[in-house]
Amino acid sequence: MAVQRLDIHRRDRGERALVTLAGDIWPATTPLLRAALEQCLRDGMTAIDVDLTTVHSCDAKGLDVFLTASRRAGRVRACLYLHHPCAQITRLLAVTGSAPLLLATPAHPVPPALLRDLPVASAAGPSAPGTQTSCDRTGAPVVEDGIRLRRLTRRQAEDMREDIADLALASVVGFSGKVYRERGDFLRRLAVSARRPGFVVLVAETTVLVGCVFGFPVSPAGRSERGLQESVQRLTGCARFLLLTQVVAHQHPQHRAIGRRLQQRLLADGRAELGVALLHPADRAGQTLYDSWGWRNHGELVGLPCRSAPCVLTLSRERGSSLPAPRAARSRPGVARETPGACRAHDHHSAVLGE
């Protein structure tokens, strides 16, 4: 009896992967297929094209692998398409109603650049069932430890706002450091930030959303945040900075590392040397978390239009760079007063920026 096998070849171009299968998809080979598709998602692929031209058959378990991978891809705004199925697979897709979910349409062809590379990969097929990958990662997102960091456009941020809100409601740290209870409140403040010139948003993903950070630049040219800009400049000597807010999921065991990586990447993408956060001066647990991310507490900033003076925290983009020491407490507006700890936040951004 011949041994049924499944050979898998993968070719990447940017954030799109072409996965070419050869053989049979049945119980003995579905684990290999599942692992290959999950690896595409872990590597940050946003489009996975599966070429079935040389696949002879596929059973129900194989179909379940494709459906599961498609659902997981959808959660991170990626997609999976099946191309050129044989008659048996076409019937399976039709009978189960899976064709609209999985089968590629003429609007989603395999990129010609990937097709040109395919004969090279196929000709050097593996001697045993397995996956062969040839990657061109130009333009791909940053991936580390199975977590990818991806910058969103304004349109993508709008599409993902409900997912980001879900994350905020279950997060360790929420908008402006605040742990949110009201979805509408969070969505409103996200929308306000998104209207700011230079708004930048990054997400961290595995097969689900695990982190988000966003912010916008503040400079001397700004109007509504002029008092904040002048105060931070007096404290740090930096006239332009990025005002950051962040959401980090508590469910993920690496939430501290995720937050640190997101914040540093946001500063780099926003071309800012300094990040600033305004936090309520009452939550010592929050201070501990920000300390773990490398933030520096400059104390309370008095003289801004807030019910209580917010703590000013700064994060330098460059490791090891120094900032002027926090100044002593004074009574004039916009001067920081040193406090023993800062915290998990209250609603200071809205009062300071007139939101």
Side-chain angles (χ1 to χ4, degrees):
M1 177 178 174
V3 177
Q4 291 174 301
R5 56 180 286 161
L6 181 69
D7 290 335
I8 303 175
H9 304 269
R10 174 177 154 191
R11 179 72 184 182
D12 295 351
R13 182 61 58 92
E15 294 184 30
R16 192 162 190 170
L18 173 61
V19 179
T20 302
L21 309 179
D24 300 283
I25 302 173
W26 68 304
T29 57
T30 51
L32 183 64
L33 175 61
R34 181 182 298 107
L37 298 179
E38 289 179 350
Q39 188 62 50
C40 288
L41 293 174
R42 284 195 294 270
D43 289 345
M45 298 297 108
T46 58
I48 305 170
D49 297 293
V50 182
D51 185 1
L52 301 174
T53 303
T54 51
V55 173
H56 313 306
S57 64
C58 176
D59 65 0
K61 289 189 176 181
L63 176 61
D64 184 66
V65 170
F66 287 129
L67 289 171
T68 299
S70 178
R71 286 192 296 270
R72 290 180 177 175
R75 293 186 192 124
V76 293
R77 299 301 188 272
C79 52
L80 181 145
Y81 302 117
L82 301 185
H83 300 263
H84 313 302
C86 66
Q88 183 268 327
I89 297 177
T90 300
R91 286 194 300 271
L92 180 63
L93 294 173
V95 168
T96 59
S98 304
L101 300 174
L102 297 174
L103 199 57
T105 65
H108 302 101
V110 178
L114 287 178
L115 289 174
R116 285 196 299 271
D117 293 328
L118 179 59
V120 177
S122 300
S127 57
T131 303
Q132 185 179 60
T133 304
S134 181
C135 300
D136 178 357
R137 301 308 305 278
T138 303
V142 176
V143 179
E144 184 179 341
D145 299 328
I147 301 167
R148 68 173 181 174
L149 304 187
R150 181 164 64 100
R151 181 172 177 173
L152 303 182
T153 63
R154 288 178 185 267
R155 176 70 63 84
Q156 290 171 329
E158 175 66 20
D159 290 343
M160 291 187 67
R161 65 184 188 135
E162 294 296 337
D163 292 335
I164 295 173
D166 289 340
L167 182 69
L169 294 173
S171 66
V172 172
V173 175
F175 190 47
S176 303
K178 176 181 178 182
V179 178
Y180 269 74
R181 299 290 182 265
E182 297 293 334
R183 172 180 291 270
D185 191 22
F186 173 79
L187 290 174
R188 181 176 67 83
R189 300 205 180 281
L190 174 59
V192 168
S193 290
R195 290 195 294 268
R196 298 279 176 174
F199 173 72
V200 185
V201 57
L202 288 171
V203 294
E205 304 163 317
T206 53
T207 55
V208 296
L209 185 67
V210 296
C212 178
V213 59
F214 46 92
F216 53 88
V218 175
S219 68
R223 292 185 178 181
S224 62
E225 59 271 357
R226 182 169 296 170
L228 173 64
Q229 187 276 325
E230 292 174 351
S231 298
V232 172
Q233 184 173 5
R234 281 196 294 268
L235 282 171
T236 67
C238 186
R240 185 182 184 277
F241 53 88
L242 200 69
L243 190 62
L244 282 87
T245 57
Q246 58 279 322
V247 178
V248 180
H250 67 74
Q251 299 96 325
H252 200 284
Q254 297 183 51
H255 68 82
R256 290 179 187 268
I258 292 170
R260 184 163 49 248
R261 284 157 52 186
L262 280 170
Q263 292 156 6
Q264 287 292 341
R265 173 76 183 277
L266 189 72
L267 291 179
D269 283 7
R271 297 181 175 86
E273 296 302 320
L274 186 72
V276 172
L278 303 179
L279 305 172
H280 195 280
D283 191 341
R284 295 181 183 276
Q287 174 62 43
T288 300
L289 185 60
Y290 275 87
D291 284 345
S292 73
W293 284 330
W295 289 79
R296 180 180 181 182
N297 180 17
H298 290 262
E300 296 177 18
L301 187 64
V302 298
L304 294 177
C306 304
R307 285 173 293 183
S308 60
C311 286
V312 179
L313 278 79
T314 59
L315 178 69
S316 177
R317 176 180 164 185
E318 296 180 357
R319 180 177 297 180
S321 63
S322 59
L323 293 172
R327 304 186 183 187
R330 302 177 194 174
S331 58
R332 62 187 176 91
V335 177
R337 179 172 67 248
E338 192 73 37
T339 56
C343 90
R344 185 164 323 182
H346 192 58
D347 255 339
H348 285 299
H349 285 302
S350 55
V352 172
L353 304 180
E355 296 173 4

